[in-house]
Amino acid sequence: MLIPPLSNHYEILETDHRIEQQWWGGFTRHNKIWQRKTHLIDNHVEEKLISENHAIMMYTPFIANNEDELKKQ
């Protein structure tokens, strides 16, 4: 059985990542996921948007300062 040679290289990329605090006090997270295909012979590059994500976060995304945590104890 012959296996054809690979002619493309694929990568998955994340862009436009951001976390935003909303007016109601919670946080939302946003990003885009892309597929990049590079042809290995002529180095032609194609990018295709796979997914755009928008989510409400169920936790506070930032780590508290250790001094603040020590004051609470």
Side-chain angles (χ1 to χ4, degrees):
M1 174 173 159
L2 291 174
I3 299 173
L6 296 175
S7 59
N8 295 308
H9 172 75
Y10 292 89
E11 297 175 80
I12 301 298
L13 308 163
E14 175 191 33
T15 63
D16 303 323
H17 182 262
R18 67 187 189 281
I19 295 174
E20 298 176 345
Q21 185 164 17
Q22 300 300 317
W23 62 269
W24 41 268
F27 293 87
T28 56
R29 180 179 182 149
H30 311 269
N31 69 349
K32 293 180 182 177
I33 305 296
W34 297 82
Q35 176 192 59
R36 180 184 292 159
K37 179 172 85 171
T38 305
H39 193 277
L40 295 176
I41 295 172
D42 64 4
N43 289 324
H44 175 74
V45 176
E46 295 177 37
E47 289 185 347
K48 179 170 77 169
L49 181 62
I50 301 296
S51 177
E52 190 168 335
N53 301 307
H54 305 281
I56 295 173
M57 299 178 72
M58 302 304 290
Y59 58 91
T60 302
F62 305 110
I63 298 173
N65 185 336
N66 280 343
E67 292 179 17
D68 293 339
E69 291 298 318
L70 291 173
K71 289 178 187 175
K72 291 179 185 176
Q73 294 178 356

